[in-house]
Structure formats: C-alpha cells, structure tokens
Amino acid sequence: MLILFMCIHLRACPLIPKNDVPVLLDLHGLFELTPVAMGFSLRDKLVVELLKIIEKVILMNLDSYGDQIHIIAQSPYIKEYIIKRFGIPEHKVFVIPDGIDLSLVPIFDETRRLKIREKLNLIDKYVIAYAGTPSYFHGFLDLLYAFRYVHQVYDKSHLLLMVPNKNIVISQLRRYNIDLSYVTVLENVRKPWYYEILYASDVLVLPHRGNTQFDFIYSNKLLDYIVTGRFIVGYDLMPVRDMLARYPLKILAKPNNPKALAEAILEGRAFRDSHVDGRQYIRDYEWSILAKEVVNVYDYLLKI
C-alpha cells in the first residue's frame, strides 16, 4: 500500500499510468487512525508518522488523476470519514466490506469439539479465546488486564491466544504478570484448524479499542467469530454493533474499559454451552458474493 501511495504521489508508477484505465484503491483502514501508543519502538513510531503524512498528501491530491482512481471502503462509516476528511467526491468511493471464505469453515461437530479441548488440555476450563494481532489499538493489553481480573474471580478461566508470533506474546504475558500456566498460545494457526479451535472455546473476545480505525470499520476477525456460532464479547463500537445486530450470543462492553470487558467475559459463563448456526448471519459477506460486487464496480468504471 505504501509503495502504491508513493507512486501515485510522484506520478511515476508504471502500474498506474495516466490513461483511461480505472484503478480501484482498496483501503482497509487509515494510518491516521492508528494511534502511536505504548509498546511502539522509536522506529515504529517514526514509520507510522511518516505513513500518516504520505497518506494525507496522496488522498488530498487524488483529484489530480481525475476519474481514473476510485476507492473501495470497507464500511459506510469509513466512507463518510474519507469524504469529509480528504474532500474526495462521494461518487469516487464505493463500499464493499471484507468477507469470508465459507469453504474453509468446517461444520460444527460437538464430538470433535470435545476431542480438541481434550487435546489442548482444556477440559473443565472456561476458555476465553482471542485471535489476531497483539497490539495496543487491537485491544490486546485491555484483554490482558481483563483476564487478570477474570481469573481472580473465577480460577478455572483459561486464556487461549492465536497470534502471528508466539515469543512476542509470551514476553507481553510475563511483563503483565500473567501466569503462563493459565494461558495457551498458538502461533500461525492455519484454517480450517483455526475454526476448530474457535469452536472448542467458550467465549470469543474482540477487544478492539475505540478512538481508532475500529470506530469506522469492523475487524474481519469478527466474521470468523460469528461463523463459529460461539458467544462473543467485544467493545460497543458502531461497526461491531451493526455486525452483531441480529446475532444472539453476544455482550458489548463500554469501549476502552478493561473492567467492563472482564465483567462481560464473566457473564459469558452462562452461555458456554450455547451454540447457533453462525453461517446464517454472514451469508452476505461470503467472498464469492463480494468478488462479484468488485467486478461490477470495475465494469461500471470502464463504461463511464
């Protein structure tokens, strides 16, 4: 994305010549909505600040390409933000959400679920799962604070993490004085095994923080959570609330409040044996459907 931004700005990108070929720029968030927070190295802070500058310059000068470049936004909320913030005409921004490949999701099977819990040594434990990036604005530190409180109240609580880098997460757990015997950390879990582990959990947590890009977009991890039909706890942000509007197994907590998050997780114990067919709630987000929407947009741009 950065290389693409720089090429557009310098008007020297061989992939985007100044001609009649339309270009769709797919934005999955904005650097300016990425807070520079604790845990960032000096290098990371400088990179993010540089990207914010580049991003602002490029988006505010998008009109220099006329109608050649259009934008795909993940939600109507981020579309509105982009239009107002950067002065981009509304007709240049199309809303197409992120999706999920249902062919990779195995069918729920209770017998297999119990075998996986046994294999991971999770029998008789209240399994609190998080899958994703262990960063500040993804709410990972909020989750660690919340889990410490949850485990004090209910000692059978167990944290299950599926993350890109196991060593980094273990160091974070130690830094926040979390006993590793109450945590299972799995690294780079591949699908469909990834979904099997979500099935085997009792509550799925999405602690993504407010005052970030998650005020405007949902995480695609939420689709993964919904499709498994398990109980979901998250912060009460508008895109999350919209996505879970019809989904029955959820509690949304006050944003950026680890104590409220912990209390919602504890409430989830009452639903640990509950399960719904999550597929029915995300049919419109299947990749095969969304891919056709992208093709339709591109066909439209070729005709104007």
Side-chain angles (χ1 to χ4, degrees):
M1 181 67 75
L2 172 58
I3 294 174
L4 181 57
F5 276 161
M6 293 178 70
C7 286
I8 295 173
H9 180 47
L10 296 174
R11 306 182 126 193
C13 182
L15 297 177
I16 312 178
K18 290 279 286 187
N19 55 33
D20 295 331
V21 178
V23 173
L24 281 174
L25 184 60
D26 193 351
L27 295 182
H28 287 254
L30 294 169
F31 288 112
E32 79 168 37
L33 295 175
T34 302
V36 176
M38 67 180 88
F40 275 57
S41 67
L42 177 60
R43 174 184 174 276
D44 290 341
K45 290 179 181 179
L46 291 174
V47 168
V48 171
E49 292 303 325
L50 175 61
L51 292 174
K52 288 180 181 180
I53 295 171
I54 295 173
E55 177 181 77
K56 180 179 178 181
V57 170
I58 297 309
L59 292 178
M60 284 190 163
N61 289 276
L62 206 63
D63 275 348
S64 66
Y65 268 73
D67 281 332
Q68 184 184 354
I69 298 178
H70 290 70
I71 292 175
I72 291 179
Q74 192 199 63
S75 74
Y77 307 113
I78 196 68
K79 173 181 177 175
E80 183 180 2
Y81 181 90
I82 291 169
I83 289 171
K84 290 182 177 179
R85 175 70 178 90
F86 301 107
I88 297 174
E90 184 174 0
H91 74 273
K92 288 190 176 183
V93 185
F94 298 89
V95 176
I96 301 178
D98 276 346
I100 185 171
D101 186 350
L102 289 180
S103 68
L104 297 176
V105 184
I107 301 300
F108 178 83
D109 181 274
E110 179 65 18
T111 300
R112 189 166 62 243
R113 187 182 83 89
L114 293 175
K115 287 182 178 179
I116 292 172
R117 287 179 68 95
E118 183 178 5
K119 181 177 181 179
L120 295 175
N121 193 28
L122 300 175
I123 299 298
D124 296 328
K125 296 177 180 177
Y126 179 47
V127 182
I128 303 158
Y130 171 77
T133 305
S135 76
Y136 172 79
F137 75 96
H138 282 87
F140 188 69
L141 299 187
D142 286 25
L143 175 61
L144 298 188
Y145 284 124
F147 178 72
R148 284 197 313 198
Y149 177 84
V150 168
H151 197 269
Q152 289 173 359
V153 175
Y154 187 61
D155 63 5
K156 289 189 177 182
S157 301
H158 191 87
L159 188 60
L160 191 156
L161 304 172
M162 288 189 281
V163 295
N165 189 304
K166 182 175 181 177
N167 292 332
I168 290 176
V169 167
I170 289 177
S171 66
Q172 288 178 299
L173 292 169
R174 287 174 173 154
R175 188 181 310 130
Y176 288 90
N177 298 316
I178 294 179
D179 190 332
L180 296 181
S181 63
Y182 303 130
V183 184
T184 298
V185 184
L186 303 176
E187 182 180 61
N188 289 323
V189 179
R190 304 301 181 190
K191 299 172 182 177
W193 177 237
Y194 164 86
Y195 292 110
E196 297 281 19
I197 294 174
L198 292 179
Y199 280 140
S201 303
D202 295 309
V203 57
L204 312 180
V205 185
L206 191 81
H208 295 354
R209 292 178 61 85
N211 300 321
T212 69
Q213 65 182 11
F214 296 114
D215 285 325
F216 304 95
I217 61 174
Y218 62 87
S219 167
N220 56 7
K221 294 298 177 185
L222 187 54
L223 295 175
D224 293 333
Y225 285 7
I226 293 172
V227 77
T228 63
R230 306 298 290 162
F231 191 80
I232 298 172
V233 169
Y235 281 141
D236 189 7
L237 306 179
M238 192 172 298
V240 176
R241 192 186 320 141
D242 285 357
M243 183 70 72
L244 293 176
R246 296 188 304 112
Y247 190 78
L249 298 178
K250 87 273 186 172
I251 293 179
L252 298 181
K254 182 180 179 181
N256 303 350
N257 189 321
K259 178 72 176 299
L261 188 70
E263 291 171 347
I265 291 171
L266 287 167
E267 287 186 53
R269 289 176 295 174
F271 302 92
R272 61 192 305 178
D273 295 323
S274 301
H275 176 261
V276 296
D277 177 13
R279 292 170 182 262
Q280 65 178 302
Y281 300 100
I282 57 168
R283 293 292 182 187
D284 293 340
Y285 296 90
E286 192 170 358
W287 273 125
S288 59
I289 295 175
L290 297 177
K292 292 177 182 178
E293 290 189 29
V294 175
V295 171
N296 289 338
V297 168
Y298 202 79
D299 283 344
Y300 165 75
L301 295 179
L302 285 171
K303 296 172 182 176
I304 63 175

